[in-house]
Amino acid sequence: MARKREGDKRRRILAAATKVFAKKGYFAAKVSEIARKAGVADGTIYLYFRSKEDILVSLFDEVMSEHVERAREELGAVEGAAARLQAIASHHLRVLGSDRDLAVVFQVELRQSTKFMERFSSTWLRSYFDLVGEVVEQGQREGVLRTEVPIKLATKAFFGILDEMVTSWVIAGRETDLTLLAGPLCDLFLRGAAHPDAAASRARPALQPVAAARGGR
Amino acid sequence: MARKREGDKRRRILAAATKVFAKKGYFAAKVSEIARKAGVADGTIYLYFRSKEDILVSLFDEVMSEHVERAREELGAVEGAAARLQAIASHHLRVLGSDRDLAVVFQVELRQSTKFMERFSSTWLRSYFDLVGEVVEQGQREGVLRTEVPIKLATKAFFGILDEMVTSWVIAGRETDLTLLAGPLCDLFLRGAAHPDAAASRARPALQPVAAARGGR
Amino acid sequence: MARKREGDKRRRILAAATKVFAKKGYFAAKVSEIARKAGVADGTIYLYFRSKEDILVSLFDEVMSEHVERAREELGAVEGAAARLQAIASHHLRVLGSDRDLAVVFQVELRQSTKFMERFSSTWLRSYFDLVGEVVEQGQREGVLRTEVPIKLATKAFFGILDEMVTSWVIAGRETDLTLLAGPLCDLFLRGAAHPDAAASRARPALQPVAAARGGR
Amino acid sequence: MARKREGDKRRRILAAATKVFAKKGYFAAKVSEIARKAGVADGTIYLYFRSKEDILVSLFDEVMSEHVERAREELGAVEGAAARLQAIASHHLRVLGSDRDLAVVFQVELRQSTKFMERFSSTWLRSYFDLVGEVVEQGQREGVLRTEVPIKLATKAFFGILDEMVTSWVIAGRETDLTLLAGPLCDLFLRGAAHPDAAASRARPALQPVAAARGGR
DNA sequence: GATGAATGAGCGTTCATTCAT
DNA sequence: GATGAATGAACGCTCATTCAT
């Protein structure tokens, strides 16, 4: 490992960890391998991180804080609920689709345990859900989105669709362009799968906006 | 350790493993704890399973083979794409919503490594996707579903929504009834989030049914 | 394993154990494999032997008691120390040379530990040494063997030569006829390696029949 | 645990292993006991050795490479086959006779499996046999040793005698001086057990220098 | 006697973490 | 700050032995 400029050790460790976690999985990843790949001594890792787990958590915190922030910025220039949802989707797919190792860590390794999941859910996922939720709510206020659809439900569904696209892409391992999915995906989310004229699509209206559908996570 | 009935040792081990995996996570789960909870000796586990990993894989294989089969049976009595999708959703939410420990194992533990994910994706998830895909395709042929939506995309989206609902429910830990979400969720999937009259919902039609959208997983 | 006549279970177990010990080594040999090869249930072994170790010890005791006895019988018909030593060597090489598995067990597995070695040395090896020692002593009394050679030393040397021939044969794994060595081996033992006329062979007479040379083992 | 000098950890582990292997036997020896006796942590062992087996093999390789080399050196100053054989015997008995634990490991533990035996036979034992064989061959060329005795047979016999002396000494456990046996042992090997005048010693000449007697090991 | 399912003690090895240099 | 040798707790798995049938 070439000695890069000084002081970027922390970044180098995180970069190395992303690769190792992606290749081996969190538990099978050895701290000494991360150290080797980062070009530092084993002990040095502990000058920057409290523990192996802290590396994973930091990885996630730092990537997320940057990207949720950037997503908000990008939204600033966009008008209308539909376009804004599409912007969020594009951003989501672009960030993860441009770094497979990072995507593996986010789609697979971070879901190791309920502990990580809970931490994940209560921090950045909450703020991401808030972001989407605000767009949905605004869309409903503006009359662009149907008010019968519970906001929480719509938010989770939107995230669920995005998440599944990324996971499929990670597992398939093929070199396709994830961002191309943003358009079709938003179209489906907004207009639905049903043909508008079909009686079927009205057969079963959402009678009860159920409690569970409002449950935060 | 009380000697219970007979021959149900295997079942008892799987039940105990489900609880322990759910509480501790796969890696932190100790084989001896599973044995203790199942009321058998440590070594007995290895009369029924090849390894700790084999317990997890068997858990998943057995639950799945039973439930995919049952889902197909339930579909037999249902007519129309919309109703059939709703039946699938109900079944999915009912199975996982009725056993939180099992849901934790499926939503969290089985996803802890690309190895499990790949196995998971190439077996039962594939057959589940086939099931949903057939319903969507049939719906399109019958003119009930829009043909502009790529089948693979619709399938993954439908699964992604369901999956996220279950994961949210698992993480939130609240005692809500998951099955109540089947109706609203299908309504959203079929009719979309957008108000049908809104120009917005037509603003960005799915121009290109992209290659990626067809990628299997 | 075909069910042979009844009651020979013990013999079948010993025969199976010989094969398994020879192939895997004592520690790596599994009792269940011996049972399978003997055509009995695992538990049955414990009706005939106290423990796995007891199988090895019994193997050795029974084979030995039979063969030391038979060696004595064969000696009955032989006159003269030289011929008797040759008879012993022939018998030794014939017994072990005719059953490679048995030879492996005797040359290798029985030397597992000082515990086995001590047991081995204090029982049949002692009686075997006694047998050889008597022949040597008699030979000295009759003036056929040199009295300067301590009896214990000659006895051990004779055994050491035989033992090394068998071990070499076991390790080499080649299909040679061990018994052919009896003649040359006795010739060497009796007449020595040196040319009788060479001064060298007299250069260093055994001045002190040392204490250690008399040590029993 | 007292931190002794430095870098001698490897040596300390080997020394501790020799003692533990000698007392308990290889299989019964616990790595943690070796560690305790060596004054290091369990894990430290694995910084110096790949496995428990590697400790035993290293023990043997290192002791041997040193002593075979030293034996060759000592031979440099000695003239004549008889004296050279005696030098080899003295060296052999001195090395093993000066460290009972080491002798136990060499005479007993290293022979516990065909695997070890084969390794043992194909490496240092081969070079040791070569050493003895050269001396014998030279002796025959010089007319000091009888050419009727096959070289391989003489070599194995010489080793067999030495080996049996050491094994007897190890098992007997008495505090005798092994090296005192070198003289009498060589006398017996060279001049034979028979009285030179006795007809007996010529009764059975080595008619056929048999194939088996030439088999390498 | 015979069975073989069940037992559970036992251990080699790994690897995250520490700390003297 | 940086190092990397040393630590030692932790655990999956095996297999000789038992005993209810």
Side-chain angles (χ1 to χ4, degrees):
Chain A
M1 279 294 118
R3 256 338 105 83
K4 301 184 192 160
R5 345 180 201 340
E6 241 320 319
D8 57 347
K9 283 216 174 72
R10 187 187 166 89
R11 220 185 319 274
R12 269 157 54 206
I13 293 169
L14 285 177
T18 305
K19 281 183 203 136
V20 179
F21 286 156
K23 194 166 66 176
K24 307 281 190 104
Y26 175 75
F27 278 95
K30 289 178 233 164
V31 171
S32 61
E33 190 180 348
I34 296 174
R36 185 159 36 77
K37 232 188 191 86
V40 301
D42 290 19
T44 305
I45 298 235
Y46 291 85
L47 295 175
Y48 295 94
F49 301 94
R50 252 189 316 286
S51 65
K52 182 183 171 184
E53 183 179 319
D54 188 41
I55 302 176
L56 182 58
V57 167
S58 299
L59 192 58
F60 137 76
D61 278 346
E62 293 181 24
V63 172
M64 280 305 104
S65 66
E66 184 185 341
H67 290 297
V68 170
E69 195 178 347
R70 193 155 306 174
R72 281 202 180 272
E73 284 170 23
E74 289 185 17
L75 275 194
V78 182
E79 287 290 319
R84 305 189 108 198
L85 286 175
Q86 170 127 341
I88 291 172
S90 288
H91 183 263
H92 188 131
L93 298 174
R94 191 174 349 104
V95 168
L96 293 172
S98 64
D99 184 346
R100 189 161 229 119
D101 288 333
L102 191 67
V104 170
V105 172
F106 272 78
Q107 301 304 119
V108 183
E109 301 311 327
L110 273 175
R111 322 220 170 164
Q112 288 294 337
S113 69
T114 46
K115 187 174 69 178
F116 281 136
M117 290 288 276
E118 275 155 16
R119 189 194 154 92
F120 173 76
S121 299
S122 64
T123 56
W124 97 263
L125 192 61
R126 173 171 303 285
S127 76
Y128 197 59
F129 273 22
D130 286 347
L131 181 65
V132 177
E134 288 164 20
V135 174
V136 172
E137 194 173 10
Q138 184 198 18
Q140 290 190 343
R141 272 204 313 275
E142 293 171 350
V144 188
L145 300 184
R146 292 159 58 210
T147 51
E148 307 98 273
V149 181
I151 295 176
K152 283 269 164 63
L153 178 75
T155 302
K156 286 180 200 167
F158 188 72
F159 178 80
I161 295 171
L162 279 170
D163 198 52
E164 177 60 27
M165 296 303 147
V166 181
T167 299
S168 281
W169 175 81
V170 160
I171 297 296
R174 248 166 294 157
E175 285 301 329
T176 56
D177 184 350
L178 249 192
T179 58
L180 295 178
L181 290 174
L185 175 164
C186 284
D187 171 66
L188 173 59
F189 178 73
L190 292 170
R191 302 173 61 201
H195 193 93
D197 305 332
S201 73
R202 275 161 201 133
R204 261 243 164 84
L207 297 175
Q208 343 89 309
V210 234
R214 295 211 173 95
R217 102 131 122 142
Chain B
M1 283 296 124
R3 213 51 52 86
K4 296 187 196 160
R5 283 179 257 337
E6 221 323 303
D8 57 343
K9 284 217 173 68
R10 188 190 166 88
R11 224 186 316 276
R12 269 156 55 203
I13 293 169
L14 283 176
T18 306
K19 280 184 204 135
V20 179
F21 286 157
K23 192 166 68 178
K24 307 280 189 110
Y26 175 74
F27 278 96
K30 282 176 266 173
V31 171
S32 59
E33 189 178 349
I34 296 174
R36 185 157 34 76
K37 231 187 195 85
V40 300
D42 289 21
T44 304
I45 300 234
Y46 293 87
L47 294 177
Y48 295 93
F49 302 94
R50 256 187 312 285
S51 64
K52 182 182 170 185
E53 181 179 323
D54 188 41
I55 303 177
L56 182 58
V57 168
S58 300
L59 194 56
F60 139 75
D61 279 345
E62 291 178 27
V63 172
M64 278 306 103
S65 65
E66 184 186 340
H67 290 298
V68 169
E69 194 179 349
R70 194 156 306 176
R72 280 200 179 270
E73 283 170 22
E74 289 186 17
L75 277 193
V78 182
E79 288 289 319
R84 304 188 110 196
L85 287 175
Q86 170 126 342
I88 291 171
S90 288
H91 183 262
H92 189 132
L93 298 174
R94 187 167 1 100
V95 168
L96 292 171
S98 64
D99 184 346
R100 188 162 231 119
D101 288 331
L102 190 67
V104 170
V105 172
F106 271 79
Q107 302 303 119
V108 184
E109 302 310 327
L110 273 176
R111 322 223 172 161
Q112 43 190 246
S113 74
T114 45
K115 188 176 66 177
F116 284 138
M117 288 288 274
E118 275 154 17
R119 189 195 155 90
F120 174 76
S121 299
S122 64
T123 55
W124 97 263
L125 195 61
R126 175 173 300 286
S127 74
Y128 198 60
F129 273 24
D130 286 346
L131 182 66
V132 176
E134 287 165 23
V135 174
V136 171
E137 193 174 10
Q138 184 199 18
Q140 291 190 343
R141 272 203 315 273
E142 292 172 351
V144 189
L145 300 184
R146 292 161 56 213
T147 51
E148 308 98 272
V149 182
I151 295 177
K152 283 270 164 62
L153 178 74
T155 302
K156 287 181 199 167
F158 187 72
F159 177 80
I161 295 172
L162 278 170
D163 198 53
E164 176 60 27
M165 296 304 146
V166 180
T167 299
S168 283
W169 175 80
V170 160
I171 299 297
R174 249 165 294 158
E175 285 301 329
T176 55
D177 184 350
L178 249 191
T179 59
L180 296 178
L181 290 174
L185 175 165
C186 284
D187 173 66
L188 173 58
F189 177 73
L190 290 170
R191 301 175 61 202
H195 193 93
D197 304 332
S201 73
R202 276 162 200 133
R204 262 258 173 67
L207 296 176
Q208 343 90 307
V210 230
R214 296 214 172 93
R217 108 124 112 137
Chain C
M1 280 294 118
R3 247 354 97 80
K4 300 182 194 162
R5 342 179 203 341
E6 242 319 319
D8 57 345
K9 283 213 173 78
R10 187 188 168 89
R11 221 185 320 273
R12 268 156 56 204
I13 292 169
L14 284 176
T18 305
K19 281 184 203 134
V20 179
F21 286 157
K23 193 166 68 177
K24 308 280 189 105
Y26 175 75
F27 278 95
K30 290 177 230 162
V31 171
S32 60
E33 190 180 347
I34 296 174
R36 184 159 35 76
K37 234 190 192 83
V40 299
D42 290 21
T44 304
I45 298 232
Y46 292 84
L47 295 175
Y48 295 94
F49 301 94
R50 253 189 315 286
S51 65
K52 181 183 172 183
E53 183 179 321
D54 188 39
I55 302 176
L56 183 58
V57 167
S58 300
L59 192 57
F60 137 77
D61 278 346
E62 293 180 23
V63 172
M64 280 306 105
S65 67
E66 183 184 341
H67 289 297
V68 170
E69 194 177 347
R70 194 156 306 175
R72 280 198 180 272
E73 284 170 22
E74 289 185 18
L75 277 193
V78 183
E79 288 291 317
R84 306 188 109 197
L85 287 174
Q86 170 127 343
I88 292 173
S90 288
H91 183 262
H92 189 133
L93 298 174
R94 190 172 354 104
V95 168
L96 292 171
S98 63
D99 183 346
R100 190 162 229 119
D101 288 333
L102 190 67
V104 171
V105 172
F106 272 79
Q107 302 303 120
V108 185
E109 302 310 326
L110 273 175
R111 324 224 169 161
Q112 289 294 338
S113 70
T114 46
K115 187 174 68 178
F116 281 136
M117 291 287 275
E118 276 154 16
R119 189 195 153 90
F120 173 79
S121 299
S122 63
T123 56
W124 97 263
L125 193 61
R126 174 172 302 285
S127 75
Y128 198 60
F129 274 22
D130 285 348
L131 181 65
V132 178
E134 287 164 22
V135 174
V136 172
E137 195 175 8
Q138 183 199 18
Q140 292 190 343
R141 271 203 314 272
E142 294 172 350
V144 189
L145 300 185
R146 293 162 56 214
T147 50
E148 308 98 273
V149 181
I151 295 176
K152 282 271 163 64
L153 177 74
T155 303
K156 287 182 199 166
F158 188 71
F159 178 80
I161 294 172
L162 279 171
D163 198 53
E164 176 59 27
M165 295 304 145
V166 181
T167 299
S168 282
W169 176 80
V170 160
I171 298 296
R174 249 167 293 160
E175 286 301 328
T176 55
D177 184 351
L178 249 191
T179 59
L180 295 179
L181 290 174
L185 175 163
C186 283
D187 172 67
L188 173 58
F189 178 73
L190 291 170
R191 303 173 62 199
H195 193 95
D197 304 333
S201 73
R202 277 160 201 134
R204 260 248 169 78
L207 296 175
Q208 343 91 307
V210 229
R214 296 213 172 95
R217 98 130 124 139
Chain D
M1 282 299 120
R3 215 46 59 85
K4 298 189 192 157
R5 284 179 257 334
E6 221 321 303
D8 57 344
K9 284 216 173 68
R10 188 189 166 88
R11 223 184 318 275
R12 269 157 53 205
I13 293 168
L14 283 177
T18 306
K19 281 183 204 135
V20 179
F21 286 156
K23 192 167 66 177
K24 309 277 188 113
Y26 174 75
F27 279 96
K30 282 177 268 175
V31 171
S32 59
E33 189 179 349
I34 296 174
R36 184 159 33 78
K37 227 183 198 90
V40 302
D42 289 19
T44 304
I45 300 234
Y46 292 86
L47 294 177
Y48 296 93
F49 302 93
R50 258 187 313 286
S51 63
K52 182 183 170 185
E53 181 178 324
D54 188 41
I55 303 176
L56 182 58
V57 168
S58 299
L59 194 56
F60 141 74
D61 279 344
E62 291 178 28
V63 172
M64 279 305 103
S65 66
E66 185 185 340
H67 290 298
V68 170
E69 195 178 349
R70 192 155 309 175
R72 281 199 179 272
E73 284 170 22
E74 290 185 18
L75 276 192
V78 183
E79 287 290 319
R84 304 188 110 197
L85 287 175
Q86 170 129 342
I88 291 172
S90 289
H91 183 261
H92 189 132
L93 298 174
R94 190 172 353 103
V95 168
L96 293 171
S98 64
D99 183 347
R100 187 162 232 119
D101 288 331
L102 190 67
V104 170
V105 172
F106 271 79
Q107 301 303 119
V108 184
E109 302 311 327
L110 272 175
R111 321 221 172 162
Q112 43 191 244
S113 74
T114 45
K115 188 174 68 178
F116 284 140
M117 287 287 274
E118 275 155 16
R119 189 195 156 91
F120 173 78
S121 298
S122 65
T123 55
W124 98 263
L125 193 61
R126 175 173 301 284
S127 75
Y128 198 60
F129 273 22
D130 286 347
L131 182 65
V132 177
E134 289 165 22
V135 174
V136 172
E137 195 176 7
Q138 184 198 18
Q140 291 191 342
R141 273 202 313 273
E142 294 171 351
V144 188
L145 300 185
R146 292 160 58 212
T147 50
E148 308 97 273
V149 181
I151 295 177
K152 283 269 165 64
L153 177 75
T155 303
K156 287 181 199 167
F158 188 71
F159 177 81
I161 296 172
L162 279 171
D163 198 54
E164 177 60 27
M165 295 304 147
V166 181
T167 299
S168 282
W169 175 80
V170 159
I171 299 296
R174 247 165 297 158
E175 285 301 327
T176 56
D177 183 350
L178 249 191
T179 59
L180 295 179
L181 290 174
L185 175 163
C186 283
D187 172 66
L188 172 58
F189 178 74
L190 291 170
R191 302 174 62 201
H195 192 93
D197 305 331
S201 72
R202 275 160 200 134
R204 263 270 179 48
L207 297 174
Q208 342 92 306
V210 233
R214 294 213 174 93
R217 109 124 116 141

